Amino acid sequence: MAIHPSSIPEPFPPERILILGAGRFGRLAAERLKKRFPKAEFLLIDDREEKIRTAEKDLGVPVLRADAQSFIGKNDLPDDVWIVPAVPVHVAFIWILSDLKRLGRARFLPVPETVDGQVPNPLRVANGTLYASFATFICPDACSEPEEICTYTKKQRQGNLFDRIEQVRLPGFDVVVVRSWQLAPGVGGYPVRYVVKRLARVREKAGAYLIATSCRCHGVLNCLEWNRTDAAT
C-alpha cells in the first residue's frame, strides 16, 4: 500500500500507537502496524481479560485492561499518540462529548432523519447513530484504500465520503468531520493532535453539532448539543 506522508497529519510515521479493542480487528491492526512501524510503541486496550492476555502473548504488545470508551473519556492523551479504534463505538464522538461535559452540559442527540438522504447507503440503528458507506458489499479486510479506484469493484471511486459528509446541510447544526487515515491495509486511525483541533472547533461555540468519523468509504455519524455552564465561563 502506498502511503503519501504529505496527506497525513503529523506525527508521521507514528511513534506511539494506541489500539482500542483486542478482538479480531484489534489483533489484525496490531499485527499489521507492528510490521509497518516496527519502531513504534504500542498499547492495546480491552476490558476483557482473556482477550488482552491472549493478545499480549501472541502479539508481544503491552496491554491494559480497561473499557475503551471510559479510557478515552477520562484520560488526557499525549498529542503525538495515534489512536486506532477497533471497538463498536464511535470513539471520536465519545471523546468530544466527554470533553464538553467538563465545560458544561452536553447531551447525545439522535441524528435527524433529514441526514439519511444526504449520505450514501444510510443505515440507522436504534440509538440514533447513523452509518454511511459507498459500499453495498463486504469490503476485503486488507483494502489498501487507493485514491482513485475501488479495490473491490475495480471501478472509479465515487469520491471521498469525508468530503461528502462535510457537505451535509442540517439547519441548526454545525458539521465537524474527523477523518480516519489508513496506516496499513484495512487499518485506520488518527493522531490525538488532529482530533484536538477538531474538538477546538466545537469548544468555540455552544450549540448543536453533527460529529462524524469517516475514511474514504465508510463513516459513522452522531449528534450532540452542549451549553456552557456559568461555572465554566
Side-chain angles (χ1 to χ4, degrees):
M1 179 190 69
I3 293 180
H4 304 287
S6 62
S7 69
I8 299 180
E10 294 294 334
F12 185 84
E15 296 181 355
R16 292 196 281 181
I17 299 174
L18 174 64
I19 301 173
L20 303 176
R24 175 172 178 263
F25 291 107
R27 289 174 62 94
L28 282 175
E31 291 173 357
R32 293 170 183 173
L33 292 173
K34 281 188 65 180
K35 291 179 180 178
R36 191 162 199 91
F37 306 107
K39 296 182 180 180
E41 297 178 7
F42 288 84
L43 180 62
L44 182 63
I45 293 180
D46 201 297
D47 60 355
R48 298 166 293 180
E49 180 73 23
E50 71 282 3
K51 291 290 185 181
I52 60 170
R53 294 307 167 203
T54 300
E56 183 180 38
K57 177 182 177 182
D58 295 346
L59 303 174
V61 296
V63 299
L64 174 66
R65 184 178 182 185
D67 176 71
Q69 183 171 322
S70 297
F71 182 87
I72 286 294
K74 294 179 180 178
N75 290 273
D76 293 321
L77 300 173
D79 66 1
D80 64 340
V81 171
W82 274 78
I83 295 177
V84 176
V87 288
V89 296
H90 189 176
V91 171
F93 175 77
I94 295 299
W95 180 355
I96 292 172
L97 182 63
S98 298
D99 183 89
L100 295 174
K101 287 180 178 179
R102 303 177 188 178
L103 298 179
R105 298 184 182 91
R107 67 189 181 103
F108 170 92
L109 296 176
V111 177
E113 293 185 0
T114 54
V115 177
D116 294 37
Q118 301 182 61
V119 296
N121 301 308
L123 174 63
R124 181 175 292 274
V125 297
N127 70 350
T129 297
L130 183 66
Y131 293 89
S133 177
F134 281 128
T136 57
F137 44 82
I138 298 176
C139 296
D141 68 18
C143 175
S144 59
E145 199 188 53
E147 294 184 24
E148 303 296 334
I149 303 296
C150 170
T151 55
Y152 182 89
T153 66
K154 310 302 181 184
K155 297 179 179 179
Q156 187 76 21
R157 280 190 176 279
Q158 302 177 53
N160 294 318
L161 186 55
F162 45 81
D163 291 330
R164 178 77 67 88
I165 297 174
E166 288 274 12
Q167 297 168 9
V168 166
R169 295 296 175 260
L170 185 59
F173 289 75
D174 289 316
V175 177
V176 175
V177 179
V178 175
R179 180 180 171 181
S180 175
W181 279 268
Q182 193 159 67
L183 295 176
V187 180
Y190 37 71
V192 169
R193 183 179 302 163
Y194 166 75
V195 181
V196 168
K197 291 180 179 179
R198 303 284 92 187
L199 171 59
R201 289 182 52 190
V202 185
R203 278 174 159 239
E204 287 176 357
K205 184 184 72 172
Y209 287 84
L210 172 69
I211 308 291
T213 299
S214 177
C215 62
R216 294 188 190 280
C217 308
H218 315 288
V220 55
L221 300 84
N222 281 107
C223 286
L224 62 82
E225 182 179 48
W226 81 280
N227 294 283
R228 196 180 300 273
T229 62
D230 292 340
T233 56

